[in-house]
Amino acid sequence: MRSPLRRTRRNPTPTPAPPPGDAIAPRDGVRLAGAAFASVLLLAGCSSGGTGAGSAGRPVAAPAQDVLLQAAAAPGPDPFTASTVRNTARPSDPPRPPEGQRAREVTGSTPGLYGGTRAVGSCDVERQASLLTGDPKKARAFAEAAGIPEAGVADWLRGLTPVALRVDTRVTGHGYRGGRAAAHQAVLQTGTAVLVDQYGSPRVRCAGGNPLRAPAADRGGVYVGVPWDAFDPDHVVVVRPTGTVVTSLVIVNATDRSWIERRTGSDGEEDRKPAVEPSCDPDACTLDGSGTPDPDASGPAVPAPSTPDRSAPPEPVPPPQDPPVPDAPTDPDPYTEPAPDPYTDPDTEPLPDPSAEPPVPPDGELPPEELFPPEPVPDQPDTFEAFEG
């Protein structure tokens, strides 16, 4: 007899988690709507099991992910550790992108993306490692959120670079709640002290010891928290990691607005002037290649008059012609020697002609046969015997 199957009813519509920003009172009691995010994103999915769709197969609204606005110095909700920020000098802001362009993605190695003070790290890395490794539960939750081995938390932290953000940055943050890491979407304010990995990505927020990862896909939601005066949703960036490991970062000195080259994994003690500085001043240097055109902007880009038009096809080039074949020579080649006769041996004397008369010796000489008459030669034995004495 077959055992009866027990069925469990599944809720077709996922229940959205409470937004992490509820722990922070929004300014004037009103949530700030994100201009860069749609309020609802429909997922067109019709699965055979009915998960994620209504009873009639129609798409259902995906849960909105609210985005927490985190000020640079605020510990934020559910911090992992106490603040380990060591340098509070705020770097200068980079210039805004041109009109009609939104700064959305910036490669982690872009000069001027980060700032700091010469020879001073933005975070106390050793204290951060001590606070985390001193609590095994926190270390385990931190490692799980950061995607690293639990036993290598301290070494991993020592391999990061302490810098400060120079632009509001979107990330996935993690708070420590109930013994586990709870993920949330966040925007970190310009001037936030972070630890950056060897691919140029921010990985730890030093004000609360929270591990950071790349942001989730844009799925709507609203900004929650208290916005700062310079906050603009259109100029929030996402840091894209480099494809290869970088050995240094070119950052902006917060004290004199000069360029600094900081070796990755260092605390600032090896800071130096870059061997090749960027071609622009730090206060005037935009984050090149980091913007995406505004879809509302119309009109194609017009090349500068001095720029040659490379879109026109090149003039056709006639195919090469074969060189003319010379006529065959009528005269024999004077440098061609005839092939020698294979049957002629130059070292072999010609055979005597039997019909020719014998040569006559000179006067006063006798023929050889008369000088040395032939003598009978005794018969030789068939076998040779050694002499025995």
Side-chain angles (χ1 to χ4, degrees), residues 78 137 141 175-182:
D78 307 317
K137 290 185 179 180
Y176 183 71
R177 185 187 310 161
R180 298 183 62 86

Side-chain angles (χ1 to χ4, degrees), residues 360-367 370-371:
V360 179
D363 296 341
E365 294 185 4
L366 296 177
E370 294 183 7
L371 291 175

Side-chain angles (χ1 to χ4, degrees), residues 18-19 102 139 146 160 194 210 215 254 283 344 356 372:
R102 295 178 178 178
L160 304 180
V194 293
N210 308 93
D283 287 335
T344 302
F372 304 98

